[in-house]
Amino acid sequence: MPTLEEAQKEIIAEFSEAADWEERYQMLIEIGDELPILSPELKTEDRLVPGCQSRVWVVPEEKEGKLFIQADSDSAITKGMIALLLRVFSGRTREEIKSASLEFLKEIGLDKHLSMSRRNGLYSMVNKIRSF
């Protein structure tokens, strides 16, 4: 498993190959499509991320001091965003998650190319993960 910093650098490298934002959105959708489907019984109200325009469920499980996270969304782009966050955060210690830099979001341009509501949702997902 790559380090937290390596995972972020991999994402930056992948997105830097995209020619424009239309291609980056397509990448997000494809990344989201790779996310395993969350079983319906895990899609409960208490697992919903507040502040998201779309419905996003986040399910944490702690094993041997590390937090493993499953997630799903009813929106293709949002599912891609949560999939990126899982690549960075899942399998890390609570301390790593709390102290992780989110510079990769700026580096790939998500923070400025998303609509205000999607950007707020993205940071709501980060806050939900960090709250565990």
Side-chain angles (χ1 to χ4, degrees):
M1 182 169 157
T3 66
L4 198 138
E5 291 78 20
E6 289 168 345
Q8 292 184 58
K9 286 178 183 178
E10 287 173 8
I11 292 169
I12 292 166
E14 287 172 30
F15 276 79
S16 69
E17 295 176 12
D20 56 25
W21 261 96
E22 187 173 320
E23 195 172 321
R24 288 182 183 200
Y25 280 125
Q26 187 58 43
M27 288 176 68
L28 270 178
I29 291 167
E30 290 169 7
I31 290 166
D33 286 344
E34 295 172 9
L35 199 62
I37 296 171
L38 195 62
S39 63
E41 63 268 6
L42 294 176
K43 293 181 178 181
T44 58
E45 291 295 317
D46 62 317
R47 293 182 170 127
L48 278 171
V49 176
C52 282
Q53 183 177 355
S54 303
R55 295 170 55 92
V56 182
W57 298 269
V58 179
V59 182
E61 182 179 357
E62 191 166 3
K63 296 178 192 172
E64 299 176 11
K66 294 185 178 183
L67 198 60
F68 293 88
I69 307 162
Q70 297 178 70
D72 201 356
S73 176
D74 61 2
S75 161
I77 290 177
T78 305
K79 192 170 185 172
M81 293 186 315
I82 193 66
L84 285 180
L85 294 176
L86 295 188
R87 282 177 57 184
V88 172
F89 291 131
S90 189
R92 312 285 176 201
T93 65
R94 293 175 187 273
E95 190 54 46
E96 286 176 304
I97 292 169
K98 286 181 183 177
S99 64
S101 162
L102 297 176
E103 286 301 310
F104 81 101
L105 296 174
K106 292 178 184 170
E107 289 283 332
I108 64 174
L110 271 183
D111 65 329
K112 63 182 173 187
H113 285 91
L114 292 175
S115 67
M116 181 64 80
S117 60
R118 279 215 170 107
R119 186 175 31 232
N120 288 341
L122 175 64
Y123 287 103
S124 292
M125 289 182 253
V126 170
N127 291 335
K128 179 78 168 179
I129 291 169
R130 286 186 166 165
S131 73
F132 299 130

